[in-house]
C-alpha cells in the first residue's frame, strides 16, 4: 500500500505543476516557450534557495520529471562542480549534470525521425 502513496504523491505534485503551466498558457499572453523557460528558471531559483529539494524528497518523480526538475538538476550540477573546481564549475557543472538526459533526448529524437515520416497538415 505504501507504493500506492508514492505513485499518488508523484502524480498529484507533477500534475499540479503541469496544470499551473497550462493555466499560464491558457489565461495569459505568455507563449508556451516562455512558460517552459520560466519553469526551468524557477527550478534553478528554488533549488538555489533550498526550497526545491524538499519537494523532490516528498514527490520524487512528480517533481523531477517536469521542466522545473531540469532546472533543479542544473543548479545541483553547478553547485557540485563549484565545490570541486571553483569558479570554472559554474560553466561546466550544468552540462555535466544533464549530459546523459540531453544525449538520450537527441538519440531518441533521431531514432523517431528515422522511423516516422512527417506529413503535411493540409
Amino acid at each position: 500500500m505504501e507504493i500506492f502513496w508514492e505513485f499518488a504523491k508523484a502524480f498529484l505534485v507533477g500534475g499540479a505543476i503541469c496544470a499551473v503551466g497550462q493555466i499560464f498558457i491558457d489565461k495569459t499572453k505568455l507563449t508556451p516557450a516562455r512558460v517552459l523557460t520560466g519553469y526551468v528558471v524557477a527550478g534553478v531559483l528554488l533549488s538555489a534557495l533550498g526550497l526545491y529539494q524538499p519537494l523532490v524528497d516528498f514527490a520524487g518523480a512528480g517533481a523531477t520529471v517536469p521542466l522545473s526538475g531540469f532546472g533543479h538538476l542544473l543548479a545541483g550540477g553547478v553547485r557540485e562542480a563549484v565545490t570541486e573546481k571553483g569558479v570554472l564549475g559554474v560553466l561546466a557543472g550544468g552540462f555535466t549534470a544533464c549530459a546523459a538526459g540531453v544525449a538520450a533526448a537527441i538519440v531518441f529524437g533521431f531514432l523517431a525521425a528515422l522511423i516516422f515520416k512527417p506529413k503535411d497538415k493540409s
Side-chain angles (χ1 to χ4, degrees):
M1 193 64 168
E2 186 176 322
I3 191 86
F4 171 77
W5 293 115
E6 293 295 318
F7 284 125
K9 289 189 291 188
F11 177 77
L12 292 173
V13 171
I17 291 171
C18 294
V20 168
Q22 189 64 47
I23 290 168
F24 277 130
I25 291 170
D26 291 343
K27 300 294 183 185
T28 67
K29 292 186 186 275
L30 294 172
T31 64
R34 289 184 183 203
V35 172
L36 297 176
T37 304
Y39 265 116
V40 174
V41 172
V44 169
L45 292 175
L46 290 172
S47 182
L49 296 172
L51 300 174
Y52 205 80
Q53 187 60 45
L55 185 63
V56 170
D57 294 339
F58 173 75
T64 58
V65 171
L67 275 177
S68 53
F70 181 69
H72 173 67
L73 179 68
L74 289 174
V78 169
R79 185 181 307 118
E80 185 178 314
V82 166
T83 58
E84 292 176 6
K85 300 175 186 171
V87 178
L88 187 61
V90 171
L91 301 173
F95 294 118
T96 305
C98 70
V102 171
I106 291 170
V107 168
F108 290 122
F110 178 73
L111 291 175
L114 291 176
I115 295 169
F116 299 103
K117 302 290 182 210
K119 297 178 183 167
D120 289 336
K121 287 187 174 185
S122 58

